[in-house]
Protein backbone atom coordinates (compact mmCIF):
# COMPACT_ATOMS: atom_id res chain seq x y z
CA UNK A 1 0.00 0.00 0.00
CA UNK A 2 1.62 3.26 -1.14
CA UNK A 3 1.41 6.06 1.46
CA UNK A 4 4.18 8.42 0.30
CA UNK A 5 5.33 9.42 -3.20
CA UNK A 6 8.61 11.29 -3.73
CA UNK A 7 9.53 12.74 -7.11
CA UNK A 8 12.62 14.41 -8.49
CA UNK A 9 12.17 17.74 -10.29
CA UNK A 10 14.54 18.37 -13.20
CA UNK A 11 14.16 15.73 -15.89
CA UNK A 12 11.30 14.12 -13.97
CA UNK A 13 8.45 16.40 -12.83
CA UNK A 14 9.64 19.37 -14.88
CA UNK A 15 9.49 19.20 -18.67
CA UNK A 16 12.35 20.38 -20.87
CA UNK A 17 11.09 23.96 -20.54
CA UNK A 18 11.26 23.66 -16.72
CA UNK A 19 7.46 23.66 -16.32
CA UNK A 20 5.31 21.64 -13.93
CA UNK A 21 2.28 19.91 -15.39
CA UNK A 22 -1.00 21.75 -14.73
CA UNK A 23 -2.36 18.34 -13.73
CA UNK A 24 0.12 17.91 -10.87
CA UNK A 25 -1.39 20.06 -8.10
CA UNK A 26 -4.92 18.66 -8.54
CA UNK A 27 -3.38 15.17 -8.41
CA UNK A 28 -1.48 15.99 -5.20
CA UNK A 29 -4.72 17.14 -3.58
CA UNK A 30 -6.58 14.00 -4.68
CA UNK A 31 -3.78 11.84 -3.30
CA UNK A 32 -3.90 13.73 0.00
CA UNK A 33 -7.65 13.03 0.28
CA UNK A 34 -6.81 9.35 -0.08
CA UNK A 35 -4.16 9.54 2.67
CA UNK A 36 -1.15 9.56 0.32
CA UNK A 37 1.54 12.16 0.98
CA UNK A 38 3.66 13.79 -1.73
CA UNK A 39 7.27 15.01 -1.50
CA UNK A 40 9.41 16.98 -3.94
CA UNK A 41 12.91 15.44 -3.93
CA UNK A 42 15.54 17.60 -5.60
CA UNK A 43 19.01 19.04 -5.55
CA UNK A 44 17.30 22.42 -5.52
CA UNK A 45 17.21 24.70 -2.49
CA UNK A 46 14.23 24.43 -0.14
CA UNK A 47 13.23 28.06 -0.78
CA UNK A 48 13.25 27.39 -4.52
CA UNK A 49 11.04 24.32 -4.10
CA UNK A 50 8.54 26.18 -1.91
CA UNK A 51 8.28 28.84 -4.62
CA UNK A 52 7.68 26.26 -7.35
CA UNK A 53 5.06 24.46 -5.24
CA UNK A 54 3.63 27.59 -3.60
CA UNK A 55 0.04 26.57 -4.34
CA UNK A 56 0.41 23.32 -2.35
CA UNK A 57 3.53 24.07 -0.27
CA UNK A 58 1.68 23.65 3.03
CA UNK A 59 0.31 20.28 1.94
CA UNK A 60 3.52 18.50 0.88
CA UNK A 61 7.05 17.67 2.05
CA UNK A 62 10.45 18.59 0.63
CA UNK A 63 13.64 16.54 0.30
CA UNK A 64 15.85 19.41 -0.80
CA UNK A 65 19.56 19.83 -1.57
CA UNK A 66 19.78 16.14 -2.55
CA UNK A 67 18.72 15.12 0.96
CA UNK A 68 20.81 17.60 2.97
CA UNK A 69 17.72 19.52 4.10
CA UNK A 70 14.40 17.74 4.70
CA UNK A 71 11.17 19.57 5.51
CA UNK A 72 7.60 18.56 6.20
CA UNK A 73 5.71 21.62 5.00
CA UNK A 74 7.70 24.37 6.75
CA UNK A 75 9.12 22.23 9.58
CA UNK A 76 12.78 21.26 9.21
CA UNK A 77 13.26 17.58 10.04
CA UNK A 78 16.94 17.26 9.10
CA UNK A 79 19.73 19.71 8.32
CA UNK A 80 23.16 18.44 7.37
CA UNK A 81 26.46 20.18 8.10
CA UNK A 82 30.11 19.45 7.27
CA UNK A 83 33.37 20.87 8.72
CA UNK A 84 34.27 24.11 6.98
CA UNK A 85 37.84 23.00 6.30
CA UNK A 86 36.55 20.23 4.03
CA UNK A 87 35.38 22.80 1.47
CA UNK A 88 38.61 24.73 1.01
CA UNK A 89 40.51 22.20 -1.22
CA UNK A 90 37.68 21.68 -3.74
CA UNK A 91 37.01 25.43 -3.94
CA UNK A 92 40.69 25.97 -4.72
CA UNK A 93 40.58 23.20 -7.35
CA UNK A 94 37.51 24.72 -9.02
CA UNK A 95 39.22 28.10 -9.24
CA UNK A 96 41.88 26.52 -11.49
CA UNK A 97 39.35 25.04 -13.96
CA UNK A 98 38.23 27.16 -16.92
CA UNK A 99 34.47 27.65 -17.30
CA UNK A 100 33.78 25.87 -14.00
CA UNK A 101 32.03 27.63 -11.10
CA UNK A 102 30.72 26.67 -7.67
CA UNK A 103 27.73 27.35 -5.46
CA UNK A 104 28.41 27.08 -1.72
CA UNK A 105 25.21 25.79 -0.09
CA UNK A 106 24.38 26.71 3.51
CA UNK A 107 21.19 26.84 5.55
CA UNK A 108 21.47 30.63 5.44
CA UNK A 109 21.33 30.56 1.64
CA UNK A 110 23.58 29.86 -1.33
CA UNK A 111 26.69 31.84 -2.27
CA UNK A 112 28.69 32.26 -5.46
CA UNK A 113 31.89 34.15 -6.11
CA UNK A 114 31.59 37.21 -8.34
CA UNK A 115 31.34 35.79 -11.85
CA UNK A 116 31.34 37.33 -15.30
CA UNK A 117 29.72 34.19 -16.72
CA UNK A 118 26.05 35.08 -17.23
CA UNK A 119 25.16 31.47 -18.08
CA UNK A 120 26.39 30.30 -14.68
CA UNK A 121 24.61 33.08 -12.81
CA UNK A 122 21.38 32.41 -14.70
CA UNK A 123 21.57 28.68 -13.91
CA UNK A 124 22.43 29.29 -10.26
CA UNK A 125 19.40 31.57 -9.89
CA UNK A 126 17.22 28.87 -11.46
CA UNK A 127 17.91 26.46 -8.58
CA UNK A 128 18.71 28.77 -5.64
CA UNK A 129 16.08 31.30 -4.57
CA UNK A 130 18.28 32.71 -1.80
CA UNK A 131 21.50 33.45 -3.69
CA UNK A 132 24.19 35.95 -2.76
CA UNK A 133 27.17 36.97 -4.90
CA UNK A 134 30.31 37.52 -2.82
CA UNK A 135 33.92 38.33 -3.76
CA UNK A 136 35.28 35.22 -2.01
CA UNK A 137 33.60 32.05 -0.75
CA UNK A 138 36.18 31.29 1.93
CA UNK A 139 35.11 34.05 4.38
CA UNK A 140 31.53 32.77 4.09
CA UNK A 141 32.71 29.43 5.50
CA UNK A 142 33.94 31.20 8.61
CA UNK A 143 30.41 32.48 9.28
CA UNK A 144 27.98 29.93 7.81
CA UNK A 145 28.03 26.14 8.27
CA UNK A 146 27.87 24.55 4.82
CA UNK A 147 26.63 21.18 3.62
CA UNK A 148 27.15 21.08 -0.16
CA UNK A 149 29.23 22.45 -3.00
CA UNK A 150 27.33 22.46 -6.31
CA UNK A 151 29.72 22.70 -9.27
CA UNK A 152 28.58 23.99 -12.68
CA UNK A 153 30.13 23.26 -16.07
CA UNK A 154 27.74 23.88 -18.94
CA UNK A 155 26.97 20.65 -20.87
CA UNK A 156 30.31 19.02 -20.00
CA UNK A 157 30.16 18.18 -16.29
CA UNK A 158 30.35 14.39 -16.75
CA UNK A 159 33.51 14.45 -18.89
CA UNK A 160 35.00 17.69 -17.60
CA UNK A 161 35.04 18.58 -13.89
CA UNK A 162 33.44 15.34 -12.61
CA UNK A 163 36.56 13.14 -12.97
CA UNK A 164 38.81 15.92 -11.64
CA UNK A 165 36.67 16.40 -8.54
CA UNK A 166 37.04 12.72 -7.67
CA UNK A 167 40.27 13.81 -5.98
CA UNK A 168 38.10 15.14 -3.12
CA UNK A 169 36.32 11.87 -2.34
CA UNK A 170 38.17 11.67 0.98
CA UNK A 171 35.51 13.95 2.49
CA UNK A 172 32.74 14.11 -0.10
CA UNK A 173 30.46 12.01 -2.21
CA UNK A 174 31.04 13.37 -5.72
CA UNK A 175 27.71 12.97 -7.49
CA UNK A 176 26.78 13.76 -11.08
CA UNK A 177 23.54 15.72 -10.69
CA UNK A 178 22.81 16.53 -14.34
CA UNK A 179 24.49 17.38 -17.62
CA UNK A 180 25.74 20.66 -16.10
CA UNK A 181 26.14 19.92 -12.39
CA UNK A 182 28.26 17.92 -9.96
CA UNK A 183 27.44 17.93 -6.23
CA UNK A 184 29.99 17.47 -3.45
CA UNK A 185 28.25 16.54 -0.22
CA UNK A 186 28.31 14.31 2.85
CA UNK A 187 28.85 10.69 1.70
CA UNK A 188 26.20 9.58 4.21
CA UNK A 189 23.60 12.05 2.91
CA UNK A 190 21.52 11.62 -0.22
CA UNK A 191 17.89 11.60 -1.40
CA UNK A 192 17.55 8.06 -0.05
CA UNK A 193 18.49 9.07 3.49
CA UNK A 194 16.21 12.08 3.05
CA UNK A 195 13.34 9.73 2.26
CA UNK A 196 14.21 7.72 5.38
CA UNK A 197 14.05 10.85 7.58
CA UNK A 198 10.72 11.86 6.10
CA UNK A 199 9.14 8.39 6.21
CA UNK A 200 10.20 7.95 9.84
CA UNK A 201 8.68 11.32 10.75
CA UNK A 202 5.41 10.41 9.03
CA UNK A 203 5.34 6.88 10.47
CA UNK A 204 5.34 5.31 7.00
CA UNK A 205 7.26 2.08 6.28
CA UNK A 206 9.74 2.43 3.43
CA UNK A 207 8.08 -0.45 1.59
CA UNK A 208 5.00 1.79 1.35
CA UNK A 209 6.87 4.52 -0.53
CA UNK A 210 7.10 5.23 -4.27
CA UNK A 211 9.73 7.37 -6.00
CA UNK A 212 10.39 8.85 -9.43
CA UNK A 213 13.77 9.89 -10.81
CA UNK A 214 15.87 10.18 -13.93
CA UNK A 215 19.50 10.84 -13.04
CA UNK A 216 22.42 9.52 -10.99
CA UNK A 217 21.66 11.68 -7.95
CA UNK A 218 18.32 9.84 -7.75
CA UNK A 219 19.93 6.41 -7.40
CA UNK A 220 19.76 6.14 -3.60
CA UNK A 221 16.18 7.41 -3.57
CA UNK A 222 15.17 4.71 -6.04
CA UNK A 223 17.06 2.02 -4.11
CA UNK A 224 15.44 3.07 -0.81
CA UNK A 225 11.79 3.29 -1.84
CA UNK A 226 9.44 0.35 -2.13
CA UNK A 227 8.37 1.10 -5.72
CA UNK A 228 10.85 2.75 -8.10
CA UNK A 229 9.88 4.50 -11.33
CA UNK A 230 12.55 5.79 -13.72
CA UNK A 231 11.63 8.15 -16.52
CA UNK A 232 11.85 7.04 -20.14
CA UNK A 233 14.36 9.88 -20.62
CA UNK A 234 16.43 8.65 -17.65
CA UNK A 235 20.14 7.87 -17.54
CA UNK A 236 20.82 4.27 -18.69
CA UNK A 237 22.51 3.36 -15.39
CA UNK A 238 19.53 4.65 -13.42
CA UNK A 239 17.07 2.65 -15.51
CA UNK A 240 18.71 -0.49 -14.13
CA UNK A 241 17.21 0.40 -10.73
CA UNK A 242 13.63 0.68 -12.00
CA UNK A 243 10.71 -1.49 -11.04
CA UNK A 244 8.76 0.45 -13.68
CA UNK A 245 9.55 2.86 -16.53
CA UNK A 246 7.40 6.01 -16.63
CA UNK A 247 6.73 8.05 -19.77
CA UNK A 248 9.22 10.87 -20.33
CA UNK A 249 9.20 14.17 -18.48
CA UNK A 250 7.96 15.84 -21.69
CA UNK A 251 5.00 13.43 -21.79
CA UNK A 252 3.72 14.27 -18.28
CA UNK A 253 5.21 10.96 -17.20
CA UNK A 254 4.92 11.23 -13.41
CA UNK A 255 1.26 12.21 -13.41
CA UNK A 256 0.39 9.55 -15.99
CA UNK A 257 2.28 6.83 -14.13
CA UNK A 258 0.63 7.67 -10.79
CA UNK A 259 -2.84 7.79 -12.30
CA UNK A 260 -2.28 4.44 -14.04
CA UNK A 261 -0.85 2.86 -10.88
CA UNK A 262 -3.88 3.79 -8.79
CA UNK A 263 -6.47 3.23 -11.53
Amino acid sequence: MIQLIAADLDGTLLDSSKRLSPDLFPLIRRLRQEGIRFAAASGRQYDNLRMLFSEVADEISFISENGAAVYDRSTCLFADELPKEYFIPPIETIRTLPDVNAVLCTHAGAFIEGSTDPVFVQNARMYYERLTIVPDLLPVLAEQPAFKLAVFEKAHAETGCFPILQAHRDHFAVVLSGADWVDLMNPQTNKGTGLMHLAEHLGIPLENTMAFGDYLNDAELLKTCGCAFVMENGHPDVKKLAHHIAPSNDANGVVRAIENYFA
Side-chain angles (χ1 to χ4, degrees):
M1 178 180 66
I2 299 300
Q3 298 174 278
L4 171 62
I5 300 173
D8 170 55
L9 266 287
D10 296 275
T12 302
L13 277 174
L14 295 172
D15 66 16
S16 296
S17 298
K18 303 296 183 183
R19 298 172 302 192
L20 289 170
S21 166
D23 302 322
L24 179 62
F25 293 169
L27 175 61
I28 288 172
R29 292 192 172 108
R30 291 200 305 272
L31 291 170
R32 186 60 184 264
Q33 290 173 356
E34 297 172 13
I36 302 169
R37 296 293 301 272
F38 185 87
S42 175
R44 290 172 178 251
Q45 187 184 59
Y46 166 69
D47 301 81
N48 180 271
L49 293 176
R50 277 200 69 94
M51 179 194 68
L52 285 171
F53 287 86
S54 58
E55 189 177 319
V56 293
D58 291 324
E59 303 173 51
I60 69 172
S61 303
F62 301 92
I63 301 169
S64 64
E65 303 281 10
N66 281 330
V70 181
Y71 289 77
D72 184 29
R73 302 168 182 147
S74 59
T75 300
C76 183
L77 308 179
F78 172 76
D80 199 14
E81 183 180 321
L82 286 169
K84 61 184 179 182
E85 59 268 19
Y86 285 9
F87 292 91
I88 297 173
I91 288 172
E92 292 178 342
T93 295
I94 291 160
R95 287 170 172 170
T96 70
L97 302 177
D99 302 317
V100 178
N101 293 278
V103 182
L104 181 67
C105 303
T106 82
H107 293 292
F111 297 84
I112 60 174
E113 290 183 336
S115 173
T116 57
D117 181 356
V119 175
F120 167 59
V121 175
Q122 179 185 13
N123 274 268
R125 293 197 183 280
M126 187 184 304
Y127 300 106
Y128 298 93
E129 188 69 13
R130 282 192 297 162
L131 182 70
T132 303
I133 300 175
V134 296
D136 188 343
L137 291 178
L138 298 186
V140 175
L141 287 169
E143 300 176 2
Q144 304 291 347
F147 54 82
K148 187 178 78 172
L149 199 63
V151 186
F152 177 83
E153 183 175 10
K154 182 64 177 175
H156 300 295
E158 185 168 5
T159 56
C161 63
F162 180 59
I164 296 170
L165 292 169
Q166 300 298 321
H168 302 289
R169 291 180 64 185
D170 51 342
H171 294 309
F172 295 97
V174 182
V175 182
L176 195 65
S177 189
D180 306 329
W181 292 94
V182 177
D183 286 340
L184 278 67
M185 54 190 297
N186 188 337
Q188 281 73 53
T189 299
N190 51 64
K191 290 184 184 180
T193 58
L195 181 65
M196 290 180 188
H197 288 296
L198 179 58
E200 181 180 10
H201 170 74
L202 297 174
I204 295 173
L206 287 171
E207 59 264 28
N208 291 355
T209 64
M210 176 187 289
F212 290 81
D214 75 300
Y215 218 76
L216 298 174
N217 63 324
D218 300 318
E220 290 84 2
L221 174 68
L222 297 164
K223 292 176 184 177
T224 301
C225 72
C227 182
F229 279 84
V230 176
M231 311 308 290
E232 179 58 42
N233 54 287
H235 192 288
D237 289 343
V238 179
K239 285 185 175 179
K240 297 174 185 177
L241 305 175
H243 300 130
H244 308 279
I245 299 296
S248 79
N249 64 319
D250 285 324
N252 200 15
V254 173
V255 170
R256 289 171 59 189
I258 292 173
E259 288 179 337
N260 289 338
Y261 187 89
F262 290 102

